[in-house]
Structure formats: structure tokens, C-alpha cells
């Protein structure tokens, strides 16, 4: 039961001298997950065991995204810098990458440029992330080859809708054919 369902839970009112009837909740979702009733269509999660690399210099973002994705059955690896990301990518190739732009040392643009130039990594889907409101970042991310652009702060729905757009018919992340523009949220 999610916290929204808890708020909707019928509260018994006790009137003095009256016996209280047991509360029966018939409007709760049968699958035990409150999120399904809020969605217009069921969400497609990446298939179980999909490997995602999250690259961000913020420990909070790494923690929140990691927890969110692990709950969906995704294997998460994290890196706090561009250099660490490149080491991790070459050690164990991820299925997709969530990549922050502004980081100390090697920034997200440099990492993305390096990935797109290497034949072994050019087909890895990359979702760029930034808290900067400037349209120039989105433009450069598109030009270099990002598959999507995620603005911070973001919610769970934003993250999963971007991932869902990158899933192939088997539920594995894949770069869209004719990738001409990054999707902006």
C-alpha cells in the first residue's frame, strides 16, 4: 500500500454508545501497488537484469536514482566522475547510461563524445541529465548524440518514461534508429 492509499484509507469514526463496524477497503488496488491506478497506461520496465550506469557527482542523485532503478529490477552501477565512468564502461559494458553534464574533471559532454567515437560503445543509449535551464546544453547534447535529455529535478515518472522510450521489443535499452533529436522533459 502506497502513501497515497494510506491517506485515502477510510477512518472509522467512533460515536459514543455505538458499536463500530470493521472497516473494509474495497477500492484498494488488487496488486498491492498504488502507482498502477495513477498511470494512463501500464509502464514497461527494462527487462530484469538490465545493466545501467549512473554518472553524477552528487551522492544524493546517485542514491535516489539507484534505489529507484533497483526497485524495477535493474542492475545499477554508479560513477561520481567522467573518468570513473569511462573505467566502469570498459570494465563492464552497461546497457544504458544516465549521464550528468556538469561534473568536475571530465564533464558529461566529453564522456558522450568519447563514447560516440568508439565503435565498441557508440550504440549504448545515453540519457543526459542537467539542472541547468539553458537550451544550449540540450542543443549540444543532441548534436553529440544523446538519446534523451532529463532536466533536474526529475520524478520517478520522468526517469521511467525516458527509459521506456529507449526499450526495444525485448525490454532492453537500444538507441533509436535515425536518432536525430534528444527528447526533452
Amino acid at each position: 500500500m502506497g502513501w497515497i492509499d494510506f491517506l485515502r484509507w477510510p477512518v472509522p469514526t467512533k460515536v459514543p454508545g455505538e458499536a463500530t463496524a470493521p472497516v473494509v477497503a474495497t477500492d484498494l488496488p488488487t496488486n498491492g501497488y498504488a502507482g498502477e491506478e495513477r498511470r494512463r497506461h501500464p509502464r514497461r520496465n527494462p527487462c530484469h537484469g538490465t545493466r545501467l550506469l549512473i554518472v553524477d557527482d552528487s551522492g544524493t542523485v546517485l542514491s535516489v536514482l539507484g534505489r529507484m532503478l533497483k526497485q524495477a529490477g535493474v542492475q545499477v552501477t554508479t560513477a561520481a566522475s567522467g573518468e570513473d565512468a569511462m573505467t566502469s564502461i570498459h570494465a563492464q559494458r552497461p546497457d544504458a547510461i544516465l549521464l550528468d553534464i556538469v561534473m568536475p574533471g571530465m564533464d558529461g559532454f566529453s564522456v558522450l563524445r568519447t563514447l560516440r567515437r568508439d565503435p565498441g560503445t557508440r550504440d549504448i543509449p545515453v540519457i543526459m541529465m542537467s539542472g541547468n535551464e539553458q537550451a544550449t546544453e540540450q542543443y549540444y547534447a543532441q548534436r553529440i548524440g544523446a538519446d534523451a535529455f532529463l532536466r533536474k529535478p526529475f520524478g520517478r515518472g520522468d526517469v521511467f518514461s525516458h527509459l521506456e522510450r529507449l526499450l526495444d521489443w525485448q525490454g532492453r535499452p537500444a538507441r533509436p534508429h535515425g536518432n536525430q533529436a534528444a527528447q526533452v522533459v
Side-chain angles (χ1 to χ4, degrees):
M1 169 169 42
W3 69 271
I4 293 208
D5 290 324
F6 179 74
L7 294 176
R8 287 190 226 160
W9 191 270
V11 178
T13 55
K14 173 115 169 99
V15 177
E18 218 179 82
T20 55
V23 177
V24 178
T26 57
D27 61 339
L28 291 178
T30 57
N31 63 358
Y33 180 63
E36 295 296 326
E37 67 189 28
R38 293 191 305 259
R39 295 192 193 109
R40 289 188 178 93
H41 60 85
R43 179 173 65 210
R44 272 184 70 215
N45 286 332
C47 64
H48 192 72
T50 298
R51 293 182 314 272
L52 236 70
L53 173 64
I54 306 169
V55 186
D56 201 308
D57 57 333
S58 166
T60 303
V61 172
L62 292 175
S63 174
V64 169
L65 274 175
R67 189 174 326 120
M68 190 184 302
L69 293 165
K70 284 177 185 175
Q71 288 174 349
V74 175
Q75 292 178 8
V76 175
T77 307
T78 60
S81 69
E83 294 84 1
D84 293 344
M86 295 308 298
T87 304
S88 178
I89 290 166
H90 291 296
Q92 184 178 14
R93 187 181 190 277
D95 296 316
I97 301 170
L98 289 163
L99 179 62
D100 188 24
I101 292 176
V102 181
M103 293 182 290
M106 187 178 195
D107 67 359
F109 290 132
S110 300
V111 172
L112 182 60
R113 222 178 271 114
T114 305
L115 292 173
R116 293 300 178 240
R117 289 180 181 159
D118 181 355
T121 59
R122 74 170 43 142
D123 61 335
I124 299 174
V126 177
I127 300 173
M128 299 293 284
M129 304 182 293
S130 180
N132 198 339
E133 298 276 331
Q134 295 179 1
T136 55
E137 285 188 344
Q138 297 169 24
Y139 173 76
Y140 285 119
Q142 288 175 331
R143 295 287 303 214
I144 298 170
D147 298 297
F149 190 89
L150 185 60
R151 281 195 196 117
K152 295 177 189 177
F154 46 78
R156 184 180 189 90
D158 299 329
V159 173
F160 283 101
S161 70
H162 276 40
L163 278 174
E164 185 175 0
R165 288 183 199 127
L166 295 176
L167 297 178
D168 65 9
W169 65 276
Q170 295 176 327
R172 291 261 180 221
R175 291 199 70 203
H177 296 293
N179 181 33
Q180 297 166 4
Q183 300 159 2
V184 179
V185 166

